[in-house]
Each structure stands twice: as C-alpha cells, then as structure tokens.
Amino acid sequence: MDKEKSLKIATVRLESRKTHRIDRLRALSKMTRDEFDQTVLDLAHDQKIELAGGDTSAMTDEQIEDLLKADDTQFVNIIWLVPLPAKARGRISLKKRLKRNGK
C-alpha cells in the first residue's frame, strides 16, 4: 500500500479534526519507525502536511518517544494541507447522504 495512503487511513481512524498526534498516527499507520518518519518528512517537504509542536506535559515517556524528532526539533502534531476524504473531515459524502435518504 502507498505510504501516503496508509498515513491518511491512520488519520481517518483517529477521528480528530485538524491536528493529528504523531504518536497515535505512528501506532495506527502499520509502518516501521523508519518508514513512518521518512513518509512524514517527505510529505512535509512536498507541502502536503505541516509539522507542528505541542504540549507534551500530559504525555507519557512512551508517547513522547514516539513523536517525530528532526533537526533538533520535536514535532507533536501534523496538519494535512491537502484534502482528506469527507469522513476524515467529519462529513459524509453526497453519495452516502443520498443513500441514507433513500434516493
């Protein structure tokens, strides 16, 4: 499976809105640590995602260890800059809406 697609599927499973915790995405992505890190860095380089910091004070040591560290910076969240499927945005597609309404 395409690595970007795998990351998008993991994002949809998180059911978060705008920012998505890297440690949680890592666990859901089913990629090795190196694959995940490289995929995230490649997507950031291609400006498909934005890497963001965040508050780690309520996180466990294990959660902090699963964050992304690059260039002496620790990133906690990613923000997708490209549209995700409607489900990831908390909306149902038009096709599903029509099906629900019996049309």
XYZ file of all heavy atoms in Angstrom:
829
model
N 0.842 -1.188 0.000
C 0.000 0.000 0.000
C 0.881 1.243 0.000
O 1.915 1.282 0.641
C -0.906 -0.008 1.240
C -1.793 1.219 1.318
S -2.813 1.384 2.817
C -3.647 -0.157 2.871
N 0.461 2.236 -0.684
C 1.134 3.526 -0.748
C 1.256 4.107 0.664
O 0.308 4.094 1.440
C 0.282 4.427 -1.657
C 0.770 5.835 -1.729
O 0.707 6.536 -0.706
O 1.188 6.247 -2.816
N 2.434 4.610 1.002
C 2.704 5.122 2.355
C 1.827 6.333 2.694
O 1.331 6.462 3.801
C 4.180 5.497 2.504
C 5.128 4.362 2.219
C 5.201 3.414 3.374
C 6.302 2.425 3.174
N 5.888 1.083 2.922
N 1.633 7.224 1.729
C 0.779 8.391 1.969
C -0.650 7.944 2.262
O -1.296 8.442 3.188
C 0.804 9.337 0.766
C -0.046 10.572 0.954
C 0.039 11.536 -0.224
O 0.959 11.414 -1.056
O -0.823 12.426 -0.291
N -1.126 6.970 1.488
C -2.479 6.453 1.696
C -2.598 5.809 3.075
O -3.591 6.000 3.771
C -2.832 5.450 0.604
C -4.248 4.948 0.682
C -4.574 4.035 -0.481
C -5.996 3.545 -0.400
N -6.323 2.671 -1.533
N -1.584 5.068 3.474
C -1.579 4.434 4.788
C -1.669 5.482 5.898
O -2.390 5.305 6.887
C -0.319 3.585 4.953
O -0.281 2.969 6.202
N -0.958 6.577 5.740
C -0.997 7.653 6.729
C -2.363 8.338 6.743
O -2.881 8.684 7.808
C 0.121 8.661 6.467
C 0.399 9.647 7.584
C 0.789 8.941 8.882
C 1.503 10.605 7.188
N -2.966 8.502 5.575
C -4.300 9.102 5.518
C -5.328 8.196 6.194
O -6.197 8.675 6.923
C -4.710 9.367 4.064
C -4.025 10.568 3.471
C -4.488 10.821 2.057
C -3.815 12.048 1.482
N -4.255 12.350 0.126
N -5.221 6.894 5.981
C -6.135 5.950 6.627
C -5.976 6.022 8.136
O -6.963 6.038 8.885
C -5.906 4.515 6.095
C -6.392 4.418 4.643
C -6.604 3.473 6.973
C -5.986 3.137 3.937
N -4.744 6.092 8.612
C -4.491 6.217 10.048
C -5.104 7.509 10.580
O -5.679 7.532 11.674
C -2.991 6.176 10.333
N -5.018 8.582 9.814
C -5.583 9.865 10.226
C -7.100 9.765 10.355
O -7.683 10.258 11.317
C -5.216 10.969 9.213
O -3.797 11.042 9.102
C -5.751 12.320 9.647
N -7.738 9.108 9.394
C -9.190 8.941 9.442
C -9.582 8.147 10.687
O -10.553 8.471 11.365
C -9.702 8.247 8.162
C -11.166 7.860 8.295
C -9.507 9.158 6.958
N -8.805 7.132 11.020
C -9.099 6.312 12.202
C -8.990 7.103 13.506
O -9.634 6.768 14.484
C -8.166 5.108 12.253
C -8.494 4.081 11.215
C -7.620 2.869 11.361
N -7.906 1.932 10.298
C -7.015 1.138 9.760
N -5.764 1.146 10.185
N -7.356 0.316 8.795
N -8.155 8.131 13.523
C -8.017 8.955 14.733
C -9.279 9.753 15.034
O -9.543 10.101 16.169
C -6.858 9.942 14.585
C -5.468 9.437 14.851
C -4.459 10.571 14.683
C -5.333 8.827 16.226
N -10.018 10.084 14.007
C -11.238 10.875 14.131
C -10.995 12.232 14.787
O -11.844 12.767 15.483
C -12.315 10.093 14.889
C -12.747 8.837 14.162
C -13.834 8.060 14.890
O -14.315 8.545 15.933
O -14.181 6.980 14.399
N -9.792 12.767 14.608
C -9.512 14.115 15.098
C -9.838 15.105 13.986
O -10.030 14.721 12.844
C -8.058 14.230 15.553
O -7.179 13.696 14.611
N -9.906 16.344 14.318
C -10.350 17.344 13.340
C -9.221 17.921 12.495
O -9.085 17.615 11.343
C -11.092 18.473 14.053
C -12.395 18.033 14.649
C -13.393 17.828 13.552
N -14.664 17.394 14.129
C -15.667 17.006 13.415
N -15.588 16.977 12.130
N -16.780 16.638 13.991
N -8.404 18.775 13.074
C -7.407 19.489 12.281
C -5.984 19.011 12.563
O -5.223 18.760 11.650
C -7.519 20.992 12.540
C -6.596 21.822 11.677
C -6.901 23.283 11.823
C -5.860 24.150 11.201
N -6.009 24.465 9.835
N -5.632 18.905 13.830
C -4.293 18.439 14.179
C -4.363 16.977 14.591
O -5.355 16.535 15.170
C -3.678 19.272 15.321
O -4.493 19.141 16.487
C -3.548 20.729 14.936
N -3.306 16.246 14.258
C -3.295 14.805 14.488
C -1.990 14.439 15.182
O -0.904 14.726 14.658
C -3.437 14.060 13.161
C -4.530 14.618 12.307
N -5.864 14.396 12.574
C -4.489 15.425 11.224
C -6.600 15.029 11.666
N -5.786 15.667 10.845
N -2.089 13.822 16.348
C -0.918 13.470 17.136
C -0.056 12.440 16.427
O -0.526 11.399 15.991
C -1.331 12.926 18.503
C -1.800 13.975 19.486
C -0.863 14.182 20.654
N -0.458 12.968 21.321
C -0.986 12.519 22.447
N -1.964 13.181 23.041
N -0.524 11.413 22.987
N 1.209 12.727 16.336
C 2.163 11.881 15.631
C 2.296 10.515 16.294
O 2.340 9.496 15.604
C 3.522 12.598 15.491
C 3.375 13.754 14.497
C 4.617 11.623 15.074
C 4.566 14.672 14.397
N 2.340 10.458 17.619
C 2.486 9.158 18.284
C 1.304 8.244 17.996
O 1.469 7.041 17.797
C 2.697 9.325 19.792
C 1.543 10.009 20.490
O 1.080 11.062 20.004
O 1.093 9.495 21.534
N 0.110 8.790 17.925
C -1.082 7.989 17.619
C -1.097 7.562 16.160
O -1.477 6.441 15.835
C -2.339 8.772 17.969
C -2.474 8.997 19.461
C -3.699 9.785 19.798
N -3.778 9.998 21.236
C -4.499 10.942 21.797
N -5.205 11.766 21.054
N -4.517 11.074 23.109
N -0.701 8.468 15.276
C -0.616 8.107 13.853
C 0.414 7.005 13.629
O 0.189 6.087 12.842
C -0.241 9.331 13.010
C -1.336 10.340 12.767
C -0.763 11.577 12.088
C -2.430 9.736 11.927
N 1.530 7.106 14.316
C 2.586 6.097 14.174
C 2.032 4.708 14.518
O 2.263 3.740 13.813
C 3.767 6.438 15.076
C 4.944 5.509 14.915
C 6.041 5.796 15.934
N 6.611 7.122 15.837
C 7.537 7.492 14.951
N 7.991 6.634 14.059
N 8.024 8.713 14.964
N 1.268 4.628 15.609
C 0.720 3.339 16.043
C -0.296 2.779 15.052
O -0.363 1.565 14.843
C 0.085 3.495 17.422
N -1.068 3.643 14.428
C -2.118 3.200 13.504
C -1.643 2.991 12.071
O -2.324 2.352 11.280
C -3.271 4.210 13.495
C -4.086 4.314 14.782
C -5.043 5.489 14.703
C -4.845 3.020 15.024
N -0.491 3.529 11.728
C -0.043 3.520 10.326
C 0.432 2.164 9.822
O 0.486 1.934 8.633
C 1.070 4.545 10.118
O 2.260 4.085 10.743
N 0.812 1.284 10.721
C 1.327 -0.046 10.357
C 2.578 0.047 9.490
O 2.790 -0.743 8.583
C 0.244 -0.887 9.698
C -0.935 -1.114 10.610
C -1.963 -2.005 10.024
C -3.086 -2.148 11.044
N -4.193 -2.896 10.579
N 3.389 1.058 9.753
C 4.676 1.226 9.078
C 5.775 1.035 10.114
O 5.547 1.241 11.305
C 4.808 2.634 8.486
C 3.963 2.925 7.299
S 4.370 4.575 6.640
C 2.811 5.398 6.852
N 6.957 0.697 9.638
C 8.091 0.652 10.555
C 8.405 2.084 10.988
O 7.965 3.052 10.361
C 9.341 0.042 9.896
O 9.801 0.939 8.871
C 9.061 -1.338 9.317
N 9.181 2.206 12.040
C 9.552 3.534 12.535
C 10.234 4.355 11.442
O 9.908 5.521 11.229
C 10.457 3.388 13.761
C 10.804 4.686 14.406
C 11.553 4.475 15.724
N 11.567 5.699 16.465
C 10.602 6.126 17.266
N 9.533 5.412 17.444
N 10.696 7.277 17.885
N 11.195 3.745 10.734
C 11.914 4.458 9.675
C 10.998 4.831 8.516
O 11.081 5.938 7.980
C 13.094 3.628 9.172
C 14.211 3.516 10.201
O 14.288 4.379 11.104
O 15.005 2.566 10.102
N 10.105 3.915 8.118
C 9.162 4.212 7.029
C 8.249 5.370 7.409
O 8.016 6.275 6.604
C 8.293 2.991 6.714
C 8.974 1.867 6.005
C 8.076 0.653 5.847
O 7.228 0.387 6.715
O 8.243 -0.044 4.831
N 7.729 5.318 8.626
C 6.835 6.379 9.089
C 7.545 7.725 9.090
O 7.036 8.699 8.533
C 6.309 6.054 10.496
C 5.387 7.108 11.042
C 4.033 7.064 10.771
C 5.877 8.153 11.826
C 3.177 8.041 11.273
C 5.040 9.130 12.324
C 3.683 9.072 12.051
N 8.723 7.768 9.711
C 9.467 9.032 9.794
C 9.764 9.583 8.405
O 9.566 10.778 8.151
C 10.775 8.845 10.569
C 10.549 8.598 12.058
O 9.395 8.714 12.533
O 11.532 8.285 12.750
N 10.220 8.714 7.504
C 10.560 9.175 6.155
C 9.320 9.647 5.401
O 9.354 10.659 4.702
C 11.278 8.080 5.361
C 11.891 8.577 4.069
C 12.907 9.683 4.314
O 13.849 9.512 5.077
N 12.726 10.831 3.669
N 8.211 8.934 5.560
C 6.965 9.328 4.895
C 6.506 10.695 5.382
O 6.161 11.568 4.571
C 5.864 8.275 5.156
O 6.287 7.020 4.614
C 4.542 8.685 4.524
N 6.523 10.904 6.683
C 6.094 12.186 7.248
C 7.018 13.308 6.781
O 6.556 14.378 6.363
C 6.028 12.109 8.785
C 5.839 13.482 9.398
C 4.898 11.181 9.219
N 8.316 13.076 6.808
C 9.257 14.109 6.362
C 9.099 14.397 4.867
O 9.165 15.560 4.450
C 10.687 13.693 6.691
C 11.021 13.648 8.187
C 12.407 13.051 8.407
C 10.917 15.028 8.816
N 8.867 13.361 4.064
C 8.646 13.559 2.622
C 7.370 14.365 2.372
O 7.357 15.272 1.527
C 8.556 12.221 1.886
C 9.890 11.505 1.787
O 10.954 12.132 2.043
O 9.879 10.294 1.454
N 6.298 14.034 3.085
C 5.044 14.766 2.915
C 5.187 16.224 3.352
O 4.614 17.119 2.735
C 3.919 14.082 3.688
C 3.461 12.735 3.131
C 2.518 12.038 4.113
C 2.796 12.902 1.781
N 5.963 16.459 4.398
C 6.215 17.837 4.835
C 7.025 18.582 3.776
O 6.730 19.741 3.455
C 6.934 17.849 6.174
N 8.024 17.910 3.228
C 8.846 18.522 2.175
C 8.003 18.858 0.946
O 8.192 19.900 0.318
C 9.982 17.579 1.787
C 10.869 18.128 0.723
N 10.659 17.871 -0.617
C 11.942 18.951 0.786
C 11.571 18.493 -1.325
N 12.370 19.162 -0.494
N 7.051 17.978 0.616
C 6.166 18.188 -0.537
C 5.006 19.133 -0.222
O 4.126 19.340 -1.056
C 5.608 16.853 -1.030
C 6.684 15.950 -1.593
O 7.791 16.442 -1.926
O 6.426 14.721 -1.703
N 4.988 19.684 0.982
C 3.972 20.620 1.456
C 2.563 20.028 1.415
O 1.579 20.703 1.144
C 4.035 21.938 0.686
C 5.349 22.644 0.903
C 5.438 23.971 0.186
O 4.674 24.263 -0.719
N 6.381 24.789 0.608
N 2.466 18.720 1.728
C 1.164 18.066 1.853
C 0.705 18.058 3.303
O -0.483 17.961 3.577
C 1.222 16.649 1.304
C 1.429 16.619 -0.204
C 1.425 15.212 -0.731
C 1.568 15.225 -2.251
N 1.493 13.861 -2.784
N 1.679 18.144 4.220
C 1.374 18.258 5.641
C 2.247 19.342 6.240
O 3.259 19.725 5.664
C 1.602 16.933 6.414
C 3.088 16.551 6.410
C 0.714 15.826 5.922
C 3.450 15.428 7.366
N 1.824 19.806 7.393
C 2.636 20.745 8.166
C 2.949 20.070 9.499
O 2.063 19.474 10.127
C 1.852 22.031 8.409
C 2.609 23.069 9.185
C 1.790 24.349 9.359
O 1.177 24.788 8.382
O 1.771 24.871 10.486
N 4.189 20.126 9.912
C 4.591 19.587 11.204
C 4.448 20.684 12.246
O 4.816 21.831 11.999
C 6.039 19.096 11.146
C 6.277 17.912 10.219
C 7.772 17.675 10.028
C 5.603 16.670 10.764
N 3.898 20.318 13.396
C 3.651 21.319 14.443
C 4.097 20.792 15.798
O 4.117 19.589 16.037
C 2.165 21.671 14.482
N 4.433 21.713 16.658
C 4.787 21.361 18.030
C 3.526 21.127 18.838
O 2.443 20.957 18.294
N 3.681 21.131 20.130
C 2.532 20.955 21.005
C 2.980 20.713 22.427
O 4.167 20.547 22.707
N 2.027 20.672 23.309
C 2.292 20.489 24.733
C 2.451 19.002 25.034
O 1.552 18.209 24.767
C 1.128 21.071 25.531
C 1.342 20.984 27.029
O 2.462 20.640 27.460
O 0.385 21.267 27.761
N 3.581 18.627 25.589
C 3.843 17.225 25.926
C 3.736 16.959 27.428
O 4.013 15.850 27.863
C 5.245 16.800 25.438
O 6.223 17.627 26.077
C 5.373 16.909 23.931
N 3.315 17.938 28.189
C 3.322 17.798 29.649
C 2.401 16.684 30.152
O 2.657 16.105 31.204
C 2.973 19.124 30.322
O 1.669 19.527 29.969
N 1.349 16.369 29.440
C 0.422 15.316 29.870
C 0.714 13.975 29.203
O -0.024 13.012 29.396
C -1.013 15.738 29.572
N 1.788 13.912 28.425
C 2.118 12.680 27.708
C 3.046 11.794 28.532
O 3.850 12.291 29.315
C 2.769 13.017 26.353
C 1.843 13.769 25.422
S 2.667 14.294 23.892
C 2.725 12.743 23.026
N 2.948 10.480 28.302
C 3.857 9.543 28.960
C 5.203 9.564 28.241
O 5.308 10.068 27.114
C 3.298 8.110 28.921
O 3.279 7.662 27.564
C 1.900 8.028 29.535
N 6.206 8.981 28.880
C 7.525 8.894 28.248
C 7.455 8.101 26.944
O 8.127 8.441 25.967
C 8.538 8.237 29.195
C 8.900 9.131 30.372
O 8.696 10.359 30.287
O 9.398 8.588 31.380
N 6.635 7.055 26.908
C 6.490 6.244 25.697
C 5.860 7.052 24.560
O 6.271 6.942 23.411
C 5.646 4.990 25.981
C 6.322 3.973 26.873
C 6.217 4.327 28.365
O 5.341 5.137 28.769
O 7.055 3.813 29.132
N 4.857 7.857 24.895
C 4.222 8.694 23.876
C 5.213 9.719 23.337
O 5.273 9.954 22.127
C 2.993 9.398 24.456
C 1.835 8.463 24.732
C 0.730 9.130 25.504
O 0.966 9.938 26.408
N -0.509 8.802 25.163
N 5.982 10.314 24.219
C 6.975 11.299 23.795
C 8.030 10.646 22.914
O 8.469 11.223 21.915
C 7.607 12.000 25.020
C 6.546 12.876 25.715
C 8.821 12.832 24.625
C 6.966 13.427 27.054
N 8.421 9.419 23.242
C 9.407 8.698 22.446
C 8.906 8.432 21.024
O 9.689 8.367 20.080
C 9.765 7.373 23.130
C 10.859 6.605 22.454
C 12.201 7.333 22.419
O 12.505 8.083 23.377
O 12.938 7.165 21.436
N 7.588 8.314 20.849
C 7.005 8.036 19.533
C 6.698 9.291 18.723
O 6.100 9.205 17.654
C 5.734 7.192 19.685
C 6.054 5.730 19.922
O 7.182 5.306 19.582
O 5.189 5.009 20.436
N 7.094 10.455 19.219
C 6.939 11.675 18.433
C 8.036 11.729 17.382
O 8.934 10.896 17.367
C 6.991 12.900 19.350
C 5.888 12.977 20.398
C 6.108 14.170 21.309
C 4.517 13.035 19.743
N 7.978 12.696 16.506
C 8.979 12.838 15.448
C 9.999 13.884 15.861
O 9.638 14.992 16.280
C 8.297 13.259 14.146
C 9.198 13.434 12.943
C 9.773 12.082 12.516
C 8.453 14.069 11.804
N 11.253 13.514 15.745
C 12.337 14.445 16.042
C 13.144 14.651 14.775
O 13.593 13.690 14.157
C 13.212 13.894 17.162
C 12.471 13.760 18.472
C 13.213 12.883 19.455
C 12.361 12.556 20.641
N 11.485 11.409 20.454
N 13.291 15.903 14.386
C 14.055 16.229 13.178
C 14.746 17.572 13.388
O 14.122 18.527 13.873
C 13.138 16.279 11.963
N 16.010 17.620 13.036
C 16.781 18.863 13.158
C 16.659 19.481 14.556
O 16.378 20.663 14.705
C 16.355 19.881 12.100
C 16.588 19.370 10.694
O 17.567 18.632 10.485
O 15.776 19.707 9.806
N 16.834 18.666 15.590
C 16.781 19.108 16.991
C 15.432 19.709 17.386
O 15.345 20.478 18.345
C 17.899 20.112 17.301
C 19.278 19.489 17.150
O 19.415 18.275 17.449
O 20.204 20.200 16.743
N 14.386 19.385 16.643
C 13.046 19.862 16.956
C 12.137 18.660 17.157
O 12.212 17.694 16.409
C 12.493 20.731 15.804
O 13.393 21.827 15.586
C 11.112 21.271 16.126
N 11.286 18.742 18.165
C 10.341 17.672 18.424
C 8.970 18.106 17.910
O 8.455 19.154 18.296
C 10.275 17.389 19.918
C 9.437 16.202 20.271
C 9.565 15.883 21.734
O 9.566 16.770 22.574
N 9.688 14.610 22.050
N 8.397 17.286 17.045
C 7.083 17.587 16.492
C 6.050 16.674 17.136
O 6.261 15.478 17.286
C 7.082 17.404 14.971
C 8.027 18.344 14.274
C 9.252 17.901 13.814
C 7.686 19.672 14.099
C 10.129 18.765 13.176
C 8.557 20.549 13.469
C 9.777 20.094 13.011
N 4.916 17.255 17.519
C 3.866 16.534 18.217
C 2.700 16.227 17.284
O 2.081 15.172 17.378
C 3.363 17.348 19.438
C 2.228 16.638 20.157
C 4.515 17.636 20.388
N 2.406 17.123 16.368
C 1.221 17.012 15.514
C 1.557 17.205 14.043
O 2.559 17.829 13.702
C 0.193 18.088 15.893
C -0.308 17.948 17.304
O -0.989 16.989 17.633
N 0.045 18.901 18.163
N 0.663 16.679 13.214
C 0.698 17.039 11.803
C -0.650 17.644 11.448
O -1.663 17.365 12.086
C 1.009 15.854 10.851
C -0.152 14.882 10.774
C 2.286 15.159 11.227
C -0.076 13.946 9.592
N -0.620 18.489 10.453
C -1.824 19.088 9.899
C -1.783 18.822 8.398
O -0.803 19.168 7.735
C -1.860 20.615 10.154
C -1.817 20.898 11.649
C -3.089 21.245 9.500
C -1.517 22.342 12.000
N -2.810 18.160 7.897
C -2.871 17.901 6.457
C -3.190 19.195 5.720
O -4.112 19.922 6.094
C -3.936 16.854 6.131
C -3.481 15.465 6.425
C -3.697 14.755 7.568
C -2.707 14.625 5.575
N -3.098 13.520 7.472
C -2.489 13.411 6.259
C -2.172 14.775 4.291
C -1.768 12.350 5.707
C -1.462 13.723 3.753
C -1.260 12.530 4.449
N -2.432 19.485 4.683
C -2.662 20.672 3.863
C -3.402 20.326 2.584
O -3.804 21.212 1.838
C -1.322 21.345 3.536
C -0.507 21.794 4.756
C 0.843 22.339 4.317
C -1.266 22.814 5.584
N -3.561 19.021 2.325
C -4.344 18.544 1.181
C -5.627 17.938 1.725
O -5.648 17.430 2.845
C -3.561 17.504 0.341
C -2.335 18.135 -0.286
C -3.178 16.296 1.160
N -6.708 17.995 0.971
C -7.982 17.468 1.476
C -7.915 15.973 1.771
O -7.328 15.204 1.022
C -8.963 17.748 0.338
C -8.305 18.774 -0.513
C -6.838 18.585 -0.348
N -8.527 15.596 2.880
C -8.707 14.194 3.226
C -10.097 13.772 2.773
O -10.937 14.620 2.457
C -8.575 14.007 4.739
C -7.177 14.161 5.311
C -7.233 14.101 6.826
C -6.247 13.100 4.779
N -10.379 12.487 2.768
C -11.740 12.049 2.433
C -12.763 12.717 3.348
O -12.447 13.107 4.476
C -11.689 10.534 2.683
C -10.250 10.169 2.610
C -9.487 11.389 3.071
N -13.998 12.840 2.884
C -15.045 13.522 3.655
C -15.180 12.948 5.049
O -15.392 13.680 6.012
C -16.375 13.426 2.909
N -15.036 11.643 5.204
C -15.159 11.005 6.518
C -14.147 11.591 7.496
O -14.448 11.775 8.669
C -14.959 9.500 6.379
C -15.084 8.760 7.666
C -14.906 7.272 7.449
C -14.945 6.545 8.778
N -14.681 5.132 8.644
N -12.949 11.879 7.037
C -11.908 12.414 7.907
C -12.220 13.831 8.352
O -11.745 14.282 9.375
C -10.558 12.378 7.199
N -13.037 14.511 7.570
C -13.409 15.879 7.921
C -14.700 15.925 8.727
O -15.239 16.980 8.985
C -13.545 16.715 6.648
C -12.243 16.848 5.871
C -12.364 17.834 4.721
N -13.522 17.646 3.883
C -13.547 16.936 2.761
N -12.467 16.309 2.348
N -14.652 16.835 2.059
N -15.212 14.750 9.097
C -16.429 14.698 9.902
C -17.690 14.888 9.089
O -18.737 15.215 9.619
N -17.610 14.678 7.792
C -18.768 14.838 6.922
C -19.005 13.540 6.164
O -18.081 12.798 5.898
C -18.525 15.950 5.909
C -18.270 17.276 6.543
C -18.122 18.322 5.460
N -17.769 19.576 6.079
C -16.717 20.297 5.764
N -15.901 19.889 4.827
N -16.463 21.418 6.367
N -20.227 13.307 5.809
C -20.491 12.154 4.965
C -20.548 12.616 3.517
O -20.887 13.766 3.231
C -21.795 11.422 5.364
C -23.026 12.331 5.235
C -21.686 10.860 6.765
C -24.331 11.598 5.387
N -20.224 11.724 2.627
C -20.215 12.088 1.217
C -21.640 12.273 0.703
O -22.609 11.774 1.292
C -19.511 11.004 0.399
O -20.280 9.819 0.415
N -21.786 12.960 -0.405
C -23.086 13.173 -1.027
C -23.714 11.834 -1.381
O -24.913 11.620 -1.180
C -22.940 14.058 -2.272
C -24.224 14.300 -3.073
C -25.278 14.981 -2.194
C -23.934 15.136 -4.299
N -22.909 10.910 -1.892
C -23.406 9.586 -2.267
C -24.027 8.873 -1.062
O -25.120 8.323 -1.144
C -22.255 8.757 -2.847
C -22.658 7.413 -3.361
C -21.447 6.709 -3.970
C -21.788 5.332 -4.467
N -20.624 4.658 -5.046
N -23.340 8.908 0.083
C -23.871 8.273 1.292
C -25.108 9.001 1.802
O -26.046 8.387 2.288
C -22.804 8.220 2.382
C -21.779 7.159 2.149
C -20.859 7.044 3.322
C -19.831 5.946 3.073
N -18.928 5.779 4.198
N -25.093 10.320 1.705
C -26.247 11.104 2.159
C -27.496 10.743 1.353
O -28.576 10.542 1.903
C -25.957 12.600 2.055
C -27.032 13.456 2.690
C -26.715 14.945 2.673
N -25.448 15.215 3.327
C -24.502 15.983 2.801
N -24.682 16.563 1.625
N -23.384 16.201 3.445
N -27.326 10.624 0.028
C -28.461 10.263 -0.826
C -28.920 8.836 -0.517
O -30.124 8.569 -0.494
C -28.061 10.381 -2.297
C -27.834 11.821 -2.802
C -27.298 11.802 -4.220
C -29.104 12.641 -2.704
N -27.984 7.962 -0.260
C -28.337 6.581 0.062
C -29.124 6.522 1.368
O -30.099 5.792 1.478
C -27.070 5.731 0.167
C -27.329 4.265 0.288
C -26.023 3.495 0.248
C -26.289 2.002 0.323
N -25.053 1.241 0.270
N -28.715 7.308 2.358
C -29.433 7.349 3.632
C -30.863 7.863 3.472
O -31.766 7.462 4.176
C -28.707 8.255 4.636
C -27.522 7.625 5.278
C -26.974 8.540 6.331
N -25.797 7.976 6.923
C -25.046 8.595 7.815
N -25.372 9.809 8.208
N -24.001 8.015 8.310
N -31.024 8.796 2.549
C -32.333 9.378 2.306
C -33.156 8.564 1.326
O -34.240 8.992 0.914
C -32.200 10.820 1.818
C -31.623 11.728 2.875
O -31.814 11.496 4.070
N -30.903 12.749 2.462
N -32.645 7.415 0.908
C -33.383 6.535 0.008
C -33.458 7.016 -1.427
O -34.396 6.710 -2.152
N -32.487 7.767 -1.867
C -32.511 8.300 -3.239
C -31.422 7.664 -4.063
O -30.463 7.202 -3.671
C -32.357 9.824 -3.222
C -33.499 10.483 -2.531
C -33.314 11.979 -2.542
C -34.479 12.633 -1.798
N -34.373 14.032 -1.737
